[in-house]
Amino acid sequence: MQVVRLAHETDFDGWRAAARRLRLAGVGPPDTLWTVDGQASLFAPSAVSEAGPEDGGAQTSTSAASFTAPRAFVDLAQRVVLHRSDERFALLYRLLWRLQDRPQLLQVASDPDVLLARQLSRDVDKAAHKMKAFVRFRGAYDDLGEAFVAWFEPAHRVAELTAPFFRTRFANTRWSILTPDVCVHWNLAELAFTPGADPADAPRADELEEFWKTYYASIFNPARLNTDAMTKEMPRRYWRNLPEAALIPELVANARSRTAEMVAKPATEPSRRVVKAAIRNSRDAPWEGLSATTLAEVAAGVDHCRRCDLWQDATQGVAGEGPGKARLMFVGEQPGDQEDLAGRPFVGPAGQVFDRAMAEAGVPRAETYVTNAVKHFKHVLRGKRRIHQTPTTREVGACRWWLDAERRIVRPRVIVAMGATAAHAVFGKVTPVSKVRGQALQLSDQAQAVVTYHPSYLLRLPDEDAKADAYAAFVHDLKLAWKLAA
Ligand code: URA
């Protein structure tokens, strides 16, 4: 029997080197015992087979002299190693061994080893997803000033896997995520990892917590309570570290009486237009039921929206803001870097151009409703910078659900579409800005529309004269829209 002692629980490199050695020496899975050295940590060098034959430790996947493992297997194995199952290293070695005779093995979905490995990999992905959703930072101070610290207990060992996500999302603050397995630290320049910690090492509460709880309680809709769906989305194992979870038992307990109170209130007649839209929505998207009927529901829905994949890389969904009955609605393209972090539309550089032009046109922003065609920030990472990417037609189409809800609720007299993406979303078809800019256009829902430039376009124009002309046209269009809305 060959006993392999791996250096730590996620020692993929150690497993790979040992697996290769054993495979080349013809030591089969039944003769191999995989253990983890309880004393070593992630920070120790990989330790491999106690009694295994040596071969110099080249990579499993690249050994020309002997065998290769497909890339898909290596990817799968890297996930599986993060699972808390004690079986994981033996399972992977069995699969590696069997792959030599059956290179297509991973495609045999009914094979018990393949099935199990895929299940473990899915569990790990799910744990990573939950970690991204449920880490709650609390304010703390150290010698360098304010930092944010979170305590989290992931279902599997996914702290390192998710670290780049948190680095991108919270690039501009110092933070640490403490877990029992490993702690992750971001100091504004690089990620660092230290050994696992104890809950007592993390701050227990901060002043933001009460705001967060108030917010959570206010978006909790008792009439929509579905405890099964809620616990599926927010499994109980995470509750003890979620401040808002303390409210759940009471909110659930009172849901029936609160719903009864809501039902007992005199009904208001929905307008025929709202009823028609609701029927259309429930037909077009029956999995979502009737769409939001208040802006608070839109905001909560946008943040949880999974109608396309853009939520995955964004900090949050950014719904529109402004009075619920604004006469004038502005639609931009999508939140930018700063909007994504702030959770509000048009607060970054494009927002400054917008604010300046609004002031020149005499349009009070506070009396208008400002939103975007797409509610999550689409971007690619270039170094540390998040570079804007134009949303696809499919993404704009998916997000129209929310823009339409905002239009139904706010019922503006005039909608200003800023840029091509906004025009596409407002009219439901490709609408070239150059052809229709600066005119009053009729929309099918009684509202009028004005199409104009996007403020970012004004920022990008290289030629100063062209920039001044476009800016003047933009101010003109804002004035026109305000006049039409009066
Ligand atoms: N650009 C947009 O289209 N919307 C914003 O909210 C910010 C920049």
Side-chain angles (χ1 to χ4, degrees):
M1 176 69 68
Q2 298 287 328
V3 180
V4 183
R5 290 173 62 240
L6 295 169
H8 55 82
E9 297 286 358
T10 56
D11 185 8
F12 177 74
D13 291 339
W15 173 84
R16 179 152 76 171
R20 180 166 190 277
R21 266 195 282 274
L22 294 168
R23 180 68 187 89
L24 286 173
V27 182
D31 300 323
T32 311
L33 186 66
W34 299 88
T35 64
V36 174
D37 184 338
Q39 302 310 308
S41 76
L42 177 62
F43 312 97
S46 294
V48 287
S49 41
E50 248 176 14
E54 293 299 318
D55 78 341
Q59 292 193 338
T60 313
S61 55
T62 55
S63 169
S66 50
F67 64 91
T68 56
R71 182 74 234 169
F73 172 72
V74 178
D75 291 344
L76 181 70
Q78 281 173 326
R79 282 284 195 278
V80 169
V81 157
L82 305 182
H83 202 281
R84 294 198 192 274
S85 160
D86 293 338
E87 296 300 308
R88 64 199 184 285
F89 292 115
L91 168 69
L92 291 175
Y93 187 52
R94 217 159 47 236
L95 273 173
L96 179 72
W97 183 273
R98 296 179 58 209
L99 271 166
Q100 306 317 308
D101 297 330
R102 208 168 163 192
Q104 305 305 320
L105 178 62
L106 290 187
Q107 274 128 50
V108 184
S110 57
D111 181 274
D113 285 342
V114 173
L115 213 61
L116 179 57
R118 294 218 183 280
Q119 181 58 51
L120 299 193
S121 164
R122 269 198 303 277
D123 291 349
V124 166
D125 281 342
K126 196 164 148 202
H129 175 66
K130 296 294 179 204
M131 179 157 181
K132 291 177 191 171
F134 295 145
V135 160
R136 299 281 182 269
F137 287 99
R138 291 176 163 123
Y141 285 89
D142 61 15
D143 297 346
L144 296 173
E146 191 174 32
F148 289 84
V149 182
W151 168 255
F152 191 74
E153 295 167 61
H156 299 288
R157 298 181 180 93
V158 293
E160 280 182 290
L161 181 70
T162 54
F165 167 85
F166 289 103
R167 177 189 55 201
T168 305
R169 184 171 274 203
F170 303 112
N172 300 322
T173 40
R174 287 187 308 121
W175 52 258
S176 296
I177 303 175
L178 316 184
T179 82
D181 313 309
V182 58
C183 301
V184 187
H185 312 271
W186 170 247
N187 65 0
L188 305 182
E190 58 188 4
L191 284 172
F193 301 90
T194 55
D198 192 82
D201 297 329
R204 289 310 299 165
D206 71 4
E207 65 220 21
L208 286 179
E209 209 135 285
E210 287 312 310
F211 287 112
W212 172 240
K213 283 193 196 162
T214 308
Y215 169 73
Y216 184 80
S218 72
I219 61 164
F220 181 89
N221 184 342
R224 297 224 173 136
L225 176 64
N226 175 341
T227 30
D228 286 347
M230 186 172 79
T231 40
K232 190 154 172 251
E233 185 57 28
M234 192 197 265
R236 282 179 202 274
R237 70 182 311 282
Y238 297 105
W239 285 23
R240 65 176 172 275
N241 294 315
L242 290 172
E244 68 270 30
L247 303 172
I248 293 176
E250 194 185 334
L251 291 171
V252 170
N254 295 339
R256 208 181 269 266
S257 57
R258 283 186 59 205
T259 307
E261 271 170 34
M262 285 160 67
V263 171
K265 279 200 177 142
T268 51
E269 261 323 291
S271 77
R272 279 186 29 225
R273 215 159 43 82
V274 169
V275 172
K276 263 168 70 184
I279 291 169
R280 194 184 66 230
N281 286 337
S282 61
R283 190 186 56 222
D284 294 348
W287 62 91
E288 304 222 16
L290 298 184
S291 71
T293 52
T294 66
L295 291 176
E297 283 176 11
V298 170
V302 157
D303 203 29
H304 287 90
C305 183
R306 303 290 183 263
R307 296 173 67 83
C308 74
D309 289 337
L310 293 185
W311 64 274
Q312 286 178 344
D313 293 329
T315 306
Q316 56 195 314
V318 180
E321 66 176 17
K325 286 287 165 250
R327 284 176 285 154
L328 184 55
M329 175 181 278
F330 287 93
V331 183
E333 184 196 79
Q334 60 166 336
D337 182 69
Q338 296 195 29
E339 287 79 11
D340 168 79
L341 296 172
R344 298 180 50 210
F346 282 102
V347 293
Q352 283 167 20
V353 175
F354 179 60
D355 284 346
R356 182 154 66 89
M358 290 280 273
E360 276 180 45
V363 185
R365 176 168 170 169
E367 291 180 29
T368 68
Y369 186 85
V370 180
T371 191
N372 282 299
V374 170
K375 312 296 198 225
H376 282 103
F377 177 33
K378 180 171 182 181
H379 60 275
V380 285
L381 263 190
R382 210 161 290 152
K384 283 191 201 158
R385 294 186 59 217
R386 304 193 297 169
I387 308 295
H388 159 275
Q389 292 227 292
T390 305
T392 61
T393 301
R394 212 193 73 70
E395 288 153 354
V396 173
C399 220
R400 269 192 95 202
W401 170 270
W402 298 114
L403 180 62
D404 285 351
E406 289 173 305
R407 282 171 70 170
R408 276 199 314 277
I409 295 165
V410 178
R411 299 176 66 181
R413 290 185 196 165
V414 179
I415 301 179
V416 181
M418 300 190 285
T421 304
H424 187 169
V426 169
F427 289 92
K429 58 181 187 197
V430 174
T431 308
V433 177
S434 56
K435 288 219 176 105
V436 292
R437 210 222 90 239
Q439 310 161 26
L441 305 162
Q442 193 59 46
L443 288 165
S444 52
D445 62 357
Q446 311 298 321
Q448 287 186 295
V450 173
V451 176
T452 188
Y453 298 126
H454 190 284
S456 299
Y457 168 76
L458 306 176
L459 279 171
R460 280 196 311 267
L461 278 174
D463 180 89
E464 283 310 316
D465 289 343
K467 193 181 265 199
D469 288 350
Y471 180 77
F474 184 58
V475 173
H476 163 273
D477 297 344
L478 301 187
K479 281 186 188 158
L480 168 67
W482 187 236
K483 204 164 127 205
L484 291 171

